[in-house]
Amino acid sequence: MSRVCVLGAGSWGTTLAIHLAATGHDLTLWGNRADELARIEADRENRKFLPGIALPDGVKVRPELEAALERAEFLLFVVPSQAVREVAERVRAVGARGVPVSASKGLEHGTRRRLSEILAETLRDETPVVITGPSHAEEVSRAIPTSVVAASADAGRARAVQGLCSTRQFRVYTNSDVAGCEIGAALKNVIAIAAGVCDGVGFGDNTKAALLTRGLAEISRLGVALGGLRETFFGLAGMGDLIATATSRHSRNRWVGEQLGRGQTLEQALASMVMVAEGVHTARAARDLGRANGVELPITEQVCAMLFEQRPPRAALQALMARDLKSED
């Protein structure tokens, strides 16, 4: 049994807390909103994000960060990507020494940093672990069979997280390609927005199949340019996560795209959500990374144009279809 602190009481953080507590680990759950934590503790359920899923007795809800982190061997960061640095700075100030694990997906706006890079830099820990892959909270919280990846430059740490999280319903593979896994996790949200636009406009299976195929090529181009391994993008952190996020009714990123395709503005779509659509923040950072590294990201460019420049969805598709003809090789 290990002592684990989950930082972030949204749908995925709560799900990981439930999952790990059910396997017998000593689990504390912390969030940035004391009022929401009080409701979770009183109800023994996160009714805002996971209605109907009870918290096991082993989940201890702690509004005080220092108490939540006390003697924690593993620190799971499950906060929105844009809050990772702030929370990590608070964790460092407390002096926590556990293994940092990033379970969020995205890129930091402005710096364009991967989340494990932020943890390494802020916590002065060179080998954080990343948990990623196709894993909707709505399914994992109900013990629906799921497979993910634990990635780290430290193979021992990756195996430790693999052992920490694995059950008969939740299978964890290890991977040493941290950059590839994180780029796959971040950019699939951008492609999922584009897939949602296809649904909202009313395009068919041909369109979405082409979009996902070329989207995966786009993700892998950038990932390899940033040090990732090409084969990573054909695994769980690449193709697996892309399929789940771009096609599922649970996907908040696909849902945002669908609303854009139906004529809503970005502001209107986001105003009707209680969760964070990470692809919105990631799109601009990914676009800028592509430009800085000389990597073509045509789908990402058009997603940014729809999100931030009010380009009509059909015009964005026409821009993609009218690009210069080339070989698929």
Side-chain angles (χ1 to χ4, degrees):
M1 182 178 73
S2 299
R3 184 168 176 80
V4 183
C5 176
V6 173
L7 300 153
S11 59
W12 186 224
T14 304
T15 292
L16 286 173
I18 291 168
H19 171 71
L20 291 169
T23 61
H25 296 296
D26 186 356
L27 202 292
T28 57
L29 176 64
W30 173 88
N32 206 31
R33 292 283 302 276
D35 56 339
E36 291 184 1
L37 289 178
R39 281 194 293 271
I40 292 171
E41 174 63 16
D43 299 334
R44 297 304 295 171
E45 179 183 325
N46 191 334
R47 293 182 179 173
K48 181 177 179 180
F49 294 114
L50 290 174
I53 305 296
L55 266 64
D57 292 340
V59 176
K60 305 176 187 68
V61 181
R62 294 286 185 265
E64 302 84 11
L65 182 59
E66 188 167 0
L69 291 167
E70 185 179 1
R71 295 184 291 109
E73 300 166 79
F74 295 90
L75 314 177
L76 271 61
F77 288 79
V78 205
V79 296
S81 59
Q82 307 312 304
V84 168
R85 185 178 297 277
E86 176 190 351
V87 173
E89 288 172 347
R90 294 177 63 181
V91 168
R92 185 184 67 185
V94 169
R97 298 295 182 187
V99 175
V101 181
S102 171
S104 301
K105 300 175 182 180
L107 299 170
E108 187 177 46
H109 183 59
T111 69
R112 305 177 299 216
R113 303 280 275 175
R114 292 182 284 108
L115 304 187
S116 70
E117 292 179 312
I118 296 171
L119 293 182
E121 174 186 318
T122 307
L123 300 176
R124 297 177 174 83
D125 187 306
E126 294 183 357
T127 55
V129 181
V130 171
I131 293 179
T132 189
S135 48
H136 290 302
E138 295 86 350
E139 297 184 3
V140 176
S141 64
R142 291 171 170 80
I144 292 175
T146 300
S147 292
V148 299
V149 171
S152 178
D154 183 326
R157 280 188 165 187
R159 288 193 297 270
V161 172
Q162 179 184 49
L164 179 79
C165 298
S166 292
T167 67
R168 291 183 181 273
Q169 292 78 36
F170 195 80
R171 182 174 176 83
V172 184
Y173 292 83
T174 61
N175 195 313
S176 60
D177 182 13
V178 180
C181 286
E182 285 192 290
I183 291 298
L187 266 69
K188 57 90 183 181
N189 286 327
V190 181
I191 305 303
I193 292 175
V197 171
C198 289
D199 292 337
V201 170
F203 294 146
D205 295 337
N206 292 351
T207 312
K208 186 176 282 188
L211 175 76
L212 297 189
T213 303
R214 298 311 304 165
L216 185 61
E218 185 166 307
I219 293 169
S220 63
R221 277 200 304 273
L222 181 61
V224 170
L226 297 176
L229 302 175
R230 185 174 177 80
E231 54 266 33
T232 296
F233 302 99
F234 302 101
L236 288 168
M239 182 174 68
D241 211 357
L242 177 62
I243 291 171
T245 308
T247 64
S248 174
R249 68 188 186 280
H250 299 308
S251 171
R252 62 200 76 166
N253 292 284
R254 191 207 62 78
W255 187 88
V256 166
E258 184 175 0
Q259 306 320 302
L260 294 177
R262 290 178 173 176
Q264 287 193 14
T265 65
L266 175 61
E267 292 71 22
Q268 288 170 329
L270 296 181
S272 60
M273 298 179 66
V274 296
M275 300 182 188
V276 175
E278 289 286 6
V280 174
H281 297 293
T282 299
R284 195 152 25 199
R287 180 199 63 190
D288 294 346
L289 272 175
R291 291 176 178 178
N293 288 274
V295 178
E296 280 191 296
L297 304 176
I299 298 173
T300 299
E301 291 277 356
Q302 293 305 318
V303 169
C304 284
M306 288 186 286
L307 291 175
F308 310 120
E309 300 167 18
Q310 293 75 53
R311 177 168 295 173
R314 290 183 182 275
L317 177 70
Q318 286 301 315
L320 289 172
M321 297 296 285
R323 297 174 66 238
D324 291 342
L325 299 178
K326 57 182 65 177
S327 169
E328 189 182 34
D329 296 340

